């Protein structure tokens, strides 16, 4: 009997998406297709036996070449016939099919999986891919269009724009919201970087000019919602010492950071070529409060806990769409969150983690 090599750590998110609800131990033999619960290959065979399902699947497969690639400021366009094909498959077993890292016919299985999720519609712009997933989800698409309309140049009223932004990040599912805001871009891909910066409609959502950061803080403190979210951010994204030890886990820091979007203290990426973030303000004219102002500004722009949380989430997102994941997943694992309590154990994911991850994956559709 062929045995797999010594167990290696799981990659944080991508492999969890492909794991069975019941884990296989390191000493198990290589799995065959029959072991998998609803593998994508099995699901496609069932679909092919149904004329309606089969026609919808083949049409959806052809959609990958017909979806237009918009500019960074344009809305993602999905042809109506592609939407219809996707709707016909919503009750198909294809929608919940899975693949396993060690299964036979792995490449064919993943090809079916990504055809269903339209994740291979574009080349390397992952911000477009996450925008596609949002567009194909009714709730995410509705909430995104609402703040897009409220924050458009011709209709921009900043307080309404901020209200709709808060509504999106409060009501959209976390995978959708984080995928749109924290999508990874290649350093040379400025179109992707610009699209990421434009996620929060900065031309309307951010204050005009460059107000003093302490003025923004005063506006925030005067508003109960903003004040509580600022405290939340300062609590969960706070480095405890010079070594960079963070107060809480990265997931809490990211939620606290995203909670500020749509408030007077809305942060954003500062350029198209890196992942640095900052408030839209300056410390000029702070007088004898200059140091206080700089500390406030640097709690965003030079926050090691926040930067590592953002970078880690982007690495996770990159692995979701990586076509070279078999070679790269374990190197990503080495760079992830250093908190041992949050590290997946070698080949022993909890039933809760797998179940929750699969639920989140299904919510992306």
């Amino acid at each position: 009997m062929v045995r797999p090599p010594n167990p290696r750590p799981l990659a944080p998110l991508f492999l969890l998406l492909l794991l069975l609800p019941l884990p296989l131990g390191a000493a198990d033999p290589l799995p065959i297709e029959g072991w998998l619960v609803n593998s994508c290959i099995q699901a496609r065979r069932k679909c092919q036996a149904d004329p309606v399902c089969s026609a919808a699947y083949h049409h959806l497969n052809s959609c990958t070449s017909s979806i237009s690639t918009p500019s960074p400021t344009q809305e993602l366009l999905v042809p109506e016939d592609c939407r219809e094909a996707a709707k016909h498959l919503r009750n198909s077993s294809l929608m919940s099919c899975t693949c396993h890292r060690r299964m036979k016919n792995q490449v064919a299985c993943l090809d079916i999986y990504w055809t269903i999720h339209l994740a291979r519609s574009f080349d390397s712009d992952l911000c477009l891919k996450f925008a596609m997933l949002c567009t194909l989800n009714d709730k995410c698409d509705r909430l995104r269009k609402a703040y897009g309309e409220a924050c458009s140049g011709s209709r921009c009223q900043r307080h309404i724009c901020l209200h709709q932004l808060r509504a999106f990040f409060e009501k959209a599912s976390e995978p959708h919201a984080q995928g749109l805001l924290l999508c990874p871009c290649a350093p040379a891909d400025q179109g992707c970087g610009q699209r990421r910066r434009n996620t929060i409609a900065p031309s309307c959502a951010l204050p005009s000019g460059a107000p003093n950061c302490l003025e923004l803080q005063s506006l925030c403190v005067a508003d109960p919602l903003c004040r509580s979210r600022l405290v939340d951010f300062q609590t969960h994204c706070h480095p405890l010492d010079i070594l960079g030890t963070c107060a809480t886990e990265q997931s809490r820091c990211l939620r606290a950071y995203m909670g500020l979007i749509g408030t007077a203290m809305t942060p954003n990426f500062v350029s198209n070529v890196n992942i640095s973030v900052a408030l839209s303000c300056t410390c000029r004219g702070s007088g004898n409060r200059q140091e206080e102002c700089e500390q406030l500004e640097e709690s965003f722009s030079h926050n090691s806990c926040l930067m590592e949380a953002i970078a880690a989430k982007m690495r996770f997102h990159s692995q979701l769409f990586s076509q070279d994941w078999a070679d790269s997943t374990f190197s990503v694992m080495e760079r992830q969150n250093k908190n041992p309590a949050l590290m997946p154990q070698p080949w022993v994911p909890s039933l809760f983690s797998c179940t929750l991850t699969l639920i989140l994956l299904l919510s992306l559709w």
Side-chain angles (χ1 to χ4, degrees), residues 40-329:
C40 290
I41 293 176
Q42 293 173 330
R44 185 180 63 175
R45 288 175 183 159
K46 294 178 183 178
C47 180
Q48 288 174 332
D50 178 353
V52 175
C53 181
S54 180
Y57 173 81
H58 287 294
H59 188 82
L60 191 63
N61 191 34
S62 68
C63 286
T64 59
S65 60
S66 64
I67 296 175
S68 60
T69 303
S71 70
T73 57
Q74 288 178 319
E75 187 70 23
L76 189 68
L77 299 178
V78 181
E80 187 60 31
D81 58 331
C82 295
R83 291 175 181 267
E84 286 300 316
K87 289 179 181 178
H88 283 303
L89 293 173
R90 285 189 174 179
N91 294 325
S92 165
S93 59
L94 282 165
M95 297 307 303
S96 59
C97 73
T98 60
C99 301
H100 193 285
R101 189 175 75 90
R102 296 180 294 158
M103 70 178 291
K104 293 181 179 180
N105 301 319
Q106 173 184 291
V107 174
C109 186
L110 289 173
D111 184 66
I112 298 168
Y113 179 88
W114 288 123
T115 294
I116 292 299
H117 289 274
L118 286 176
R120 56 185 177 87
S121 301
F122 304 102
D123 293 331
S124 60
D125 191 333
L126 298 191
C127 289
L128 276 177
K129 291 184 177 181
F130 279 106
M132 166 69 103
L133 292 176
C134 179
T135 300
L136 292 174
N137 178 272
D138 292 339
K139 185 176 183 180
C140 184
D141 188 43
R142 183 179 68 255
L143 292 168
R144 185 167 173 246
K145 284 180 178 177
Y147 85 73
E149 292 175 2
C151 301
S152 64
S154 59
R155 303 181 184 179
C156 172
Q157 296 185 53
R158 187 166 178 254
H159 68 286
I160 299 178
C161 173
L162 292 178
H163 174 77
Q164 293 295 342
L165 270 176
R166 289 198 305 272
F168 176 82
F169 285 100
E170 289 170 0
K171 298 177 181 179
S173 70
E174 190 170 88
H176 280 119
Q178 290 189 350
L180 281 173
L181 185 68
L182 304 175
C183 48
C185 297
D189 191 348
Q190 294 204 30
C192 179
Q194 182 180 352
R195 189 170 290 103
R196 182 172 60 196
R197 288 185 69 206
N198 286 342
T199 297
I200 67 162
S203 60
C204 183
L206 300 183
S208 57
N212 187 276
C213 296
L214 294 176
E215 293 176 7
L216 288 186
Q217 180 178 247
S218 296
L219 290 173
C220 182
V221 171
D223 175 68
L225 176 65
C226 185
R227 181 172 67 246
S228 65
R229 294 192 176 184
L230 179 59
V231 170
D232 197 36
F233 172 78
Q234 292 171 337
T235 299
H236 295 299
C237 295
H238 177 60
L240 295 178
D241 51 44
I242 60 174
L243 298 178
T245 306
C246 302
T248 58
E249 59 266 29
Q250 294 175 340
S251 60
R252 290 191 177 185
C253 177
L254 287 180
R255 291 188 190 106
Y257 171 80
M258 294 171 68
L260 284 170
I261 297 174
T263 71
M265 302 285 285
T266 297
N268 197 20
F269 295 99
V270 299
S271 78
N272 298 337
V273 297
N274 59 46
I275 62 172
S276 298
V277 299
L279 294 171
S280 184
C281 60
T282 178
C283 284
R284 290 192 298 269
S286 296
N288 59 6
R289 300 181 66 190
Q290 180 72 22
E291 183 177 354
E292 178 186 355
C293 183
E294 290 178 354
Q295 288 178 349
L296 173 63
E297 194 277 329
E298 290 177 359
S299 69
F300 290 86
S301 63
H302 292 79
N303 187 322
S304 59
C305 294
L306 175 61
M307 288 298 95
E308 178 54 29
I310 291 175
K313 180 59 67 174
M314 288 185 176
R315 291 195 295 268
F316 296 169
H317 287 159
S318 180
Q319 286 301 307
L320 278 173
F321 294 99
S322 173
Q323 296 183 10
D324 194 26
W325 64 274
D327 295 329
S328 62
T329 44

